[in-house]
Amino acid sequence: INQNIIRSISIESKIQSLGYILPHRPPDPKGNYIPFVKTGNLVFIAGHLPQYVDGKLIYGRLGENMTTEEGQEASKLAAINMLATIKVACNGDFNRLVRVVKVVGLVNSTNEYLDQAKVMNGCSDLFVEIFGEKGRHARSAFGTSVLPLGVPVEIEAI
């Protein structure tokens, strides 16, 4: 048995053992774009939303009707959807992922809300939990007054 296949299966087993459900396929884009673009040895992952496997989205605005902890869970859910896209981009083999380079997160929040970075920890912590050192990345977290469809976070990565 190929060791790469075993390692890839072990990543998927780890995802499941942590209680996460990896979508069978990435969520469909919500506009006129594609979920990822490969160029050279990099994969640019388009913005992902916090969407459950059944298609339902998480809605809310930090500092208005959503807590930091709820925002972290939304961030984590967006990251799980990104994992499904990464799997497709890597032709089904998570071992092709050398590392997560950068994550950019937009957080739908009030002007008074200042914990956007804590919200984005949901995504960052998940990547490190699953990929270890390969999951550590550079990151930006921005507050914005509105996001598409009223979701609390949109996250993209390289």
Side-chain angles (χ1 to χ4, degrees), residues 137-158:
H137 51 270
R139 186 184 80 191
S140 299
F142 299 97
T144 183
S145 61
V146 67
L147 281 173
L149 307 173
V151 297
V153 296
E154 181 172 355
I155 306 170
E156 63 181 50
I158 301 170

Side-chain angles (χ1 to χ4, degrees), residues 58-108:
I58 294 178
Y59 301 100
R61 188 170 188 219
L62 282 293
E64 182 176 295
N65 58 11
M66 186 171 239
T67 66
T68 298
E69 293 74 21
E70 291 169 327
Q72 289 170 332
E73 288 303 310
S75 172
K76 190 180 290 184
L77 182 57
I80 290 166
N81 288 316
M82 292 173 76
L83 290 174
T85 299
I86 290 167
K87 183 177 177 183
V88 170
C90 292
N91 297 321
D93 183 4
F94 278 116
N95 292 309
R96 296 186 68 198
L97 175 75
V98 175
R99 79 168 302 138
V100 178
V101 176
K102 174 143 178 136
V103 170
V104 176
L106 300 168
V107 179
N108 183 1

